[in-house]
Amino acid sequence: MSRRVAAFCPGHISGYFKRVDGPDAATTGSVGAGLVISEGVLACVTPAERTDITVWQTDHSRNRVRIAGDSPPIRYAMKKLSVDASVMTECRLPVGAGFGLSAAALLATITALNQLYDIGMDERRIAHLAHETEIVHRTGLGDVTSCRGGGMVVRTVAGIDAPVRRIHGLSGPVSAVSFGPINTPSVLGSPGQMEKVAAAFPSGEPKTIEDFFSYSRAFTEKSGLITPQVREVLDFCDHNGINASMTMLGNGVFAYGDDAEPILSRFSSVHSMAVAKNGPVLLKEEP
Amino acid sequence: MSRRVAAFCPGHISGYFKRVDGPDAATTGSVGAGLVISEGVLACVTPAERTDITVWQTDHSRNRVRIAGDSPPIRYAMKKLSVDASVMTECRLPVGAGFGLSAAALLATITALNQLYDIGMDERRIAHLAHETEIVHRTGLGDVTSCRGGGMVVRTVAGIDAPVRRIHGLSGPVSAVSFGPINTPSVLGSPGQMEKVAAAFPSGEPKTIEDFFSYSRAFTEKSGLITPQVREVLDFCDHNGINASMTMLGNGVFAYGDDAEPILSRFSSVHSMAVAKNGPVLLKEEP
């Protein structure tokens, strides 16, 4: 039986953000704040002469569905490492819906490959490669920086080496519903819409989870990105005193605390998770 | 056996576009040009006391996968019509990847419901409802206008009642590869990127399919939206003299003519189709 290494990396829900362009990929990214979540991506790697990558998703009924037979970002990172392997990633949350799963998939896969082939990268080099891949492939801006550790993350400087503030000890559950991706053409062709998003960025920094939801919600309202489904859920959360905001960027809502799950469940299947305590972790190594 | 009506609507690949905001949904949309394609969405509707909507996709291996258990835009349109029904939609192309499938799903479903319940809407009222739904739910801008008929479509005025120019008689095959959706955060936070997209809109109007690819390709190059995978495919198409451009907006490439399919197949599974001759069509009615 061939050697096999598995690693897990948490996902990330962004509450508010602003794109920042730097002179290179390492300094390009975003500022903002979000929650690192206990749901994320599991990557399993085994040695192979030709790289093959399969993306699996496990749905609410525990059916495992093969959702892609390749991943250009993972392939790009592997080319940079000059390694070939058989890679399988698996997640439960929906892909492309604002849960930072591309960053999680990259960090989990590179962490597992580093161990499998004794590449000897430290955590920082792993994160740099994952972040560069995200910037080049336009799959994310601040998710790798956030997913390197757990907690509620406040980023006031952009890029992979920028300092971040992590607030730990948030023990309440995080619930989310997703109605799919945000439609790109409806915003892309409109500089006015984009300026609105950039102008919605709050001044100041959240210090508590309540602050975070208040900043995120103000951003959501000013951004002009609220869809009819999100509006309906947010209004109902307000009515019931639930801390809730729109997942940036996906057509969905996330909320915090014990009372959130039954409220959200009126609208769609709820993804239940916690605030993650750690970033990527190696899971096991078979002999 | 309960009555059942099926309708099909073609999809639409946008080559270039610009968002235009009008005073209401009917006049909001986009200008640009694209190809109406023979792949699209099949909708089957049967009477039901409570609305349920299931979205199916058939993959390259002819596996039928249930990809969603609801569709907020379809639900919205049905609420406007004050009808309940069991709705099933099916497509072969990937969803959210720039093939105009949300417009096709709305036009097919509303066309089928109109027949099922003898609602008596004419083609224009059906198109108005589908377009309003797209604008409200941010699922599209110019796709409904385009999918009302077939051909290569040039839209110089935005909105659902705007005149369009259709060029028919294009008999060559259309081929497309998709690497997934475009990442929204990487563009959304950046007004500079958005201005670039708006500024990339070409002056003049394409009169032939070669013109169309030349306009689309110039827009693609100026837009700053080209991903590494798309760049690789476009370069290879250029090298082989293939008319090709980026699907707006999805991370993919579409190309025209007999030689395109073998070229694109080097990069990913190819979706093979034709330029559609017509818009939505009723398929059958049982019994």
Side-chain angles (χ1 to χ4, degrees):
Chain A
M1 190 182 152
S2 89
R3 209 164 155 244
R4 178 166 173 270
V5 178
F8 175 81
C9 182
H12 176 245
I13 300 177
S14 188
Y16 62 91
F17 76 99
K18 179 155 73 178
R19 183 186 169 103
V20 176
D21 286 294
D24 55 25
T27 52
T28 292
S30 64
V31 291
L35 299 178
V36 184
I37 50 178
S38 57
E39 284 290 341
V41 177
L42 173 74
C44 292
V45 300
T46 53
E49 284 189 13
R50 273 194 65 189
T51 291
D52 69 280
I53 303 163
T54 319
V55 179
W56 295 89
Q57 187 172 33
T58 304
D59 68 16
H60 278 284
S61 324
R62 293 177 189 277
N63 295 318
R64 217 173 64 134
V65 181
R66 181 178 172 279
I67 58 169
D70 200 358
S71 159
I74 291 178
R75 201 171 275 277
Y76 171 93
M78 293 175 73
K79 218 169 176 176
K80 286 261 168 174
L81 293 174
S82 304
V83 297
D84 284 298
S86 175
V87 176
M88 193 209 75
T89 70
E90 188 175 19
C91 62
R92 291 190 204 178
L93 295 173
V95 170
F99 295 113
L101 299 185
S102 62
L106 284 164
L107 282 170
T109 303
I110 300 168
T111 299
L113 289 169
N114 186 48
Q115 175 79 357
L116 181 73
Y117 289 127
D118 295 317
I119 304 175
M121 289 187 284
D122 59 9
E123 186 276 338
R124 181 173 173 273
R125 277 189 56 209
I126 292 172
H128 265 253
L129 176 55
H131 180 74
E132 181 201 303
T133 305
E134 287 254 279
I135 297 301
V136 170
H137 285 256
R138 299 162 185 268
T139 45
L141 292 166
D143 292 325
V144 170
T145 306
S146 301
C147 295
R148 288 173 77 172
M152 181 184 121
V153 186
V154 183
R155 296 171 292 111
T156 51
V157 182
I160 192 64
D161 285 324
V164 299
R165 199 153 55 79
R166 292 185 193 273
I167 289 148
H168 289 284
L170 297 165
S171 58
V174 177
S175 303
V177 288
S178 171
F179 305 108
I182 279 279
N183 184 251
T184 322
S186 72
V187 277
L188 250 185
S190 162
Q193 171 66 74
M194 294 311 93
E195 273 161 32
K196 220 169 157 183
V197 173
F201 193 82
S203 60
E205 282 181 53
K207 296 200 166 37
T208 64
I209 187 80
E210 289 78 17
D211 278 1
F212 166 71
F213 273 98
S214 143
Y215 278 75
S216 297
R217 184 60 181 279
F219 173 82
T220 295
E221 296 291 337
K222 284 184 200 151
S223 72
L225 292 171
I226 299 184
T227 60
Q229 305 104 282
V230 167
R231 169 59 65 206
E232 204 181 343
V233 182
L234 289 179
D235 284 352
F236 199 70
C237 286
D238 289 350
H239 186 74
N240 287 276
I242 306 292
N243 281 311
S245 196
M246 184 171 170
T247 51
M248 291 295 164
L249 271 159
N251 187 5
V253 170
F254 71 113
Y256 183 77
D258 290 316
D259 300 331
E261 204 259 332
I263 297 295
L264 291 189
S265 70
R266 300 178 66 131
F267 298 94
S268 185
S269 304
V270 177
H271 302 286
S272 300
M273 43 214 159
V275 178
K277 293 190 171 56
N278 307 295
V281 59
L282 276 167
L283 290 185
K284 59 185 165 186
E285 197 174 339
E286 285 169 5
Chain B
M1 191 182 152
S2 90
R3 208 163 157 245
R4 178 166 173 270
V5 179
F8 175 81
C9 181
H12 176 243
I13 300 176
S14 189
Y16 62 92
F17 76 100
K18 180 156 73 177
R19 183 186 169 103
V20 176
D21 285 294
D24 55 26
T27 52
T28 293
S30 63
V31 291
L35 300 178
V36 184
I37 50 179
S38 56
E39 285 291 341
V41 177
L42 173 74
C44 292
V45 300
T46 53
E49 283 188 15
R50 273 193 64 188
T51 290
D52 69 281
I53 304 163
T54 318
V55 179
W56 295 89
Q57 186 171 33
T58 304
D59 68 16
H60 278 284
S61 323
R62 293 178 190 273
N63 295 317
R64 219 175 63 135
V65 182
R66 180 179 171 278
I67 56 169
D70 200 0
S71 160
I74 291 178
R75 201 171 276 277
Y76 171 93
M78 292 174 73
K79 219 169 176 175
K80 286 261 167 173
L81 293 174
S82 305
V83 297
D84 284 299
S86 175
V87 176
M88 193 210 76
T89 69
E90 188 176 20
C91 62
R92 292 190 203 177
L93 296 173
V95 170
F99 295 114
L101 299 185
S102 62
L106 284 165
L107 281 171
T109 303
I110 299 168
T111 299
L113 288 169
N114 186 49
Q115 175 80 356
L116 182 73
Y117 289 127
D118 296 317
I119 303 175
M121 290 187 285
D122 59 11
E123 186 275 339
R124 181 172 173 272
R125 278 189 55 209
I126 292 173
H128 265 253
L129 176 56
H131 180 74
E132 181 203 303
T133 304
E134 288 255 280
I135 297 301
V136 170
H137 285 257
R138 297 161 185 271
T139 45
L141 291 166
D143 292 325
V144 171
T145 307
S146 301
C147 295
R148 288 173 76 173
M152 181 185 121
V153 186
V154 183
R155 295 170 292 112
T156 51
V157 182
I160 191 63
D161 284 324
V164 299
R165 198 153 55 80
R166 294 185 192 271
I167 289 149
H168 290 285
L170 297 165
S171 58
V174 178
S175 304
V177 288
S178 171
F179 305 109
I182 279 278
N183 184 252
T184 323
S186 72
V187 277
L188 250 186
S190 162
Q193 171 67 73
M194 293 311 95
E195 273 161 34
K196 219 169 157 183
V197 173
F201 193 83
S203 59
E205 282 180 54
K207 297 202 166 36
T208 63
I209 187 79
E210 290 76 19
D211 278 0
F212 166 71
F213 273 98
S214 143
Y215 278 75
S216 297
R217 184 60 181 280
F219 173 82
T220 294
E221 296 292 337
K222 286 185 200 150
S223 72
L225 292 171
I226 298 183
T227 60
Q229 304 104 283
V230 167
R231 168 59 64 207
E232 204 182 343
V233 182
L234 289 180
D235 284 353
F236 199 71
C237 286
D238 289 351
H239 186 74
N240 287 276
I242 306 291
N243 280 312
S245 196
M246 184 172 171
T247 50
M248 292 293 164
L249 270 157
N251 187 5
V253 169
F254 71 112
Y256 183 78
D258 290 318
D259 301 330
E261 204 260 332
I263 298 294
L264 292 189
S265 70
R266 300 178 66 129
F267 298 94
S268 185
S269 303
V270 177
H271 302 284
S272 300
M273 43 216 159
V275 178
K277 292 190 170 59
N278 307 294
V281 59
L282 276 167
L283 290 184
K284 58 185 164 184
E285 197 174 338
E286 288 170 3

